[in-house]
């Protein structure tokens, strides 16, 4: 293999794009043969790509957690390929939204690695109907982590724009050296995970003035929503209080229960109108103090004397129903209602990542 590696170095140096064509990498991986070793090669490519963006892939990154999970699976036999698939499927749409940047491509390499782990590296060892094409013959979803890593490290796809040829060449020369060493000693990590940022202390969210609009000076009232809900309560039901849960993040959910625990069913149009009014109140609150963000969910307790209490959830991930805990949904919601960073909890900062979305 040493002679083959030397030939590949010549090919990289002579390539006008500084690129190592896919046919040579396919041959190289097939020569290695062992699926787990090939997966480790692709894992090392992800580590290399992430090391170019230490701020984005430090300990506070969701993707760092997944890469760490895969690294432990490959080198320590911890976890399962099925659990890795669950992790990357959860992140897939979220990562795809930012894959138009170099750091976004580093994240996409991690997604590609997850699929390579679950599907036995078929994307490079068993390419369907493969006839020696290069990477540009395949769509974005089919790229391997090694090629995606080259885009992240060089800043561009060589088939779209030339970009930094020297950085791309440097990456592929690193790659062939790494492949040789990993194939010779597959049980030893070639490189460690990217150096983590030190863990940040717990974040104290400042007091929200939006709540004063509702609870203190009552500039914004939910009386109309209370009245609309009470009109939907069947007259034959005896109750001491009514529990209302409204959640809205891309889609909306309205649940109403009486104090006996029975769910109260209301008409479709009434549900649509009440949900609309909740969303309008949220938008109105946000417009007064946008830096404080917008709430994800709201619990409303209506007492038998028609008074009511409101509990707004701006910051608690666990209080968001699991159905709504889709990262791309959360990011889309945040994009619609951006906050300043001091009003953003740690879990939401992970989702927002390095995107320049914080209000100042």
């Amino acid at each position: 293999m040493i002679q083959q590696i030397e030939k590949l170095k010549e090919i990289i140096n002579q390539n006008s794009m500084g690129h190592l064509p896919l046919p040579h990498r396919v041959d190289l991986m097939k020569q290695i043969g062992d699926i787990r070793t090939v997966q480790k090669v692709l894992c090392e490519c992800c580590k290399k790509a992430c090391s170019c963006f230490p701020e984005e892939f430090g300990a506070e990154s969701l993707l760092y957690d997944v890469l760490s999970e895969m690294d432990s699976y490959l080198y320590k036999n911890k976890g399962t390929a099925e659990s890795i698939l669950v992790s990357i499927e959860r992140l897939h749409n979220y990562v795809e939204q930012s894959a138009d940047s170099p750091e976004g491509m580093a994240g996409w390499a991690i997604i590609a690695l997850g699929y390579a782990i679950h599907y036995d590296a078929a994307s490079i060892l068993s390419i369907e109907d493969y006839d020696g094409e290069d990477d540009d013959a395949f769509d974005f979803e089919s790229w391997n982590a090694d090629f995606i890593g080259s885009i992240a490290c060089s800043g561009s796809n060589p088939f779209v724009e030339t970009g930094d040829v020297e950085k791309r060449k440097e990456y592929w020369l690193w790659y062939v050296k790494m492949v040789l060493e990993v194939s010779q000693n597959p049980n030893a990590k070639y490189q460690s995970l990217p150096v983590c940022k030190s863990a940040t202390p717990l974040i104290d969210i400042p007091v929200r003035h939006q709540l004063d609009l509702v609870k203190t000076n009552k500039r914004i009232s939910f009386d109309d929503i209370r009245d609309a809900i009470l009109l939907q309560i069947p007259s034959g039901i005896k109750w001491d209080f009514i529990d209302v849960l409204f959640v809205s993040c891309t889609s909306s959910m309205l649940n109403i229960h009486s104090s006996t625990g029975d769910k109260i069913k209301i008409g479709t149009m009434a549900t649509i109108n009440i949900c609309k009014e909740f969303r309008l109140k949220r938008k109105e609150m946000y417009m007064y103090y946008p830096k404080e963000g917008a709430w994800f969910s709201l619990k409303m307790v209506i007492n038998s004397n028609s008074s009511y209490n409101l509990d707004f959830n701006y910051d608690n991930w666990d209080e968001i129903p699991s159905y709504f805990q889709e990262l791309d949904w959360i990011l889309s919601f945040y994009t619609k209602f951006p906050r300043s960073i001091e009003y953003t909890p740690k879990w939401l900062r992970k989702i927002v990542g390095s995107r320049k979305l914080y209000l100042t």
Side-chain angles (χ1 to χ4, degrees):
M1 181 178 280
I2 294 176
Q3 288 184 338
Q4 185 179 3
I5 295 298
E6 292 303 317
K7 289 181 180 178
L8 292 178
K9 288 180 181 178
E10 290 181 19
I11 290 170
I12 296 166
N13 283 318
Q14 292 171 6
N15 188 285
S16 62
M17 300 182 294
H19 173 63
L20 179 60
L22 178 59
H24 297 292
R25 287 150 35 219
V26 170
D27 289 343
L28 193 58
M29 294 303 104
K30 286 185 175 180
Q31 185 174 336
I32 291 174
D34 179 69
I35 291 172
R36 179 60 65 93
T37 303
V38 171
Q39 292 168 336
K40 288 177 180 178
V41 165
L42 298 175
C43 183
E44 297 302 329
C45 292
C46 290
K47 294 179 195 176
K48 176 71 170 177
C50 292
S51 68
C52 297
F53 308 99
E55 289 297 316
E56 287 77 7
F57 294 96
E60 294 304 304
S61 167
L62 292 166
L63 286 162
Y64 179 92
D65 295 341
V66 178
L67 181 56
S68 179
E69 178 186 0
M70 292 190 282
D71 189 67
S72 293
Y73 171 79
L74 293 173
Y75 287 102
K76 299 179 181 178
N77 292 316
K78 291 184 177 180
T80 65
E82 287 72 25
S83 66
I84 287 171
L85 182 64
V86 170
S87 295
I88 62 164
E89 289 285 358
R90 186 168 175 236
L91 287 167
H92 183 285
N93 292 338
Y94 163 75
V95 176
E96 189 174 16
Q97 291 182 32
S98 60
D100 56 351
S101 65
E103 60 270 27
M105 290 306 290
W108 189 247
I110 294 172
I111 300 297
L113 172 62
Y115 287 122
I117 288 174
H118 189 265
Y119 296 110
D120 295 334
S123 58
I124 196 161
L125 289 176
S126 305
I127 304 174
E128 188 175 354
D129 299 325
Y130 185 61
D131 194 26
E133 298 91 347
D134 208 345
D135 298 279
D136 62 326
F138 299 90
D139 61 28
F140 172 81
E141 294 272 353
S142 302
W143 290 344
N144 283 286
D146 55 355
F147 177 61
I148 301 171
S150 76
I151 296 175
C153 292
S154 67
S156 66
N157 180 344
F159 298 103
V160 176
E161 56 179 307
T162 304
D164 195 322
V165 173
E166 288 305 313
K167 284 188 177 181
R168 190 176 301 112
K169 184 184 297 184
E170 178 185 325
Y171 170 85
W172 286 118
L173 290 173
W174 165 86
Y175 170 85
V176 294
K177 179 176 181 291
M178 176 269 293
V179 169
L180 178 62
E181 297 191 23
V182 170
S183 63
Q184 291 176 336
N185 193 5
N187 294 323
K189 288 187 184 183
Y190 184 73
Q191 59 188 340
S192 300
L193 286 166
V195 176
C196 304
K197 296 179 290 185
S198 58
T200 54
L202 292 175
I203 298 166
D204 290 325
I205 303 295
V207 173
R208 283 189 167 88
H209 298 91
Q210 284 186 23
L211 302 179
D212 292 337
L213 296 170
V214 179
K215 297 180 178 180
T216 304
N217 61 37
K218 300 189 183 302
R219 188 173 296 176
I220 297 175
S221 172
F222 282 72
D223 290 0
D224 52 343
I225 294 179
R226 172 204 59 194
D227 296 342
I229 291 171
L230 290 178
L231 285 174
Q232 299 299 314
I233 308 301
S235 57
I237 293 180
K238 293 183 179 180
W239 53 274
D240 295 319
F241 58 85
I242 300 294
D243 274 331
V244 181
L245 172 63
F246 173 71
V247 186
S248 178
C249 180
T250 300
S251 60
S252 298
M253 178 186 78
L254 179 66
N255 283 338
I256 303 175
H257 290 82
S258 73
S259 53
T260 61
D262 296 326
K263 185 172 183 178
I264 296 172
K265 296 181 181 180
I266 65 176
T268 301
M269 285 309 301
T271 299
I272 291 172
N273 290 333
I274 291 170
C275 287
K276 179 182 177 181
E277 289 303 314
F278 271 125
R279 290 193 296 270
L280 287 172
K281 301 290 185 188
R282 177 175 62 190
K283 185 176 180 179
E284 188 178 1
M285 293 171 70
Y286 178 79
M287 290 177 68
Y288 274 101
Y289 299 103
K291 289 186 178 183
E292 298 177 8
W295 41 270
F296 293 97
S297 59
L298 167 61
K299 293 178 181 178
M300 183 180 197
V301 179
I302 304 174
N303 302 307
S304 56
N305 63 1
S306 294
S307 64
Y308 58 88
N309 300 310
L310 300 168
D311 182 13
F312 300 93
N313 176 32
Y314 291 82
D315 307 312
N316 193 331
W317 170 264
D318 293 330
E319 287 188 12
I320 301 173
S322 58
Y323 175 78
F324 292 86
Q325 291 177 346
E326 293 288 338
L327 302 187
D328 51 324
W329 287 13
I330 299 290
L331 180 61
S332 176
F333 178 85
Y334 181 91
T335 303
K336 186 176 180 180
F337 297 106
R339 316 174 177 203
S340 62
I341 193 167
E342 68 268 21
Y343 281 99
T344 308
K346 285 178 66 176
W347 65 266
L348 187 51
R349 290 186 188 185
K350 285 187 177 185
I351 295 174
V352 175
S354 62
R355 299 168 179 86
K356 299 178 180 178
L357 297 175
Y358 295 112
L359 296 181
T360 57

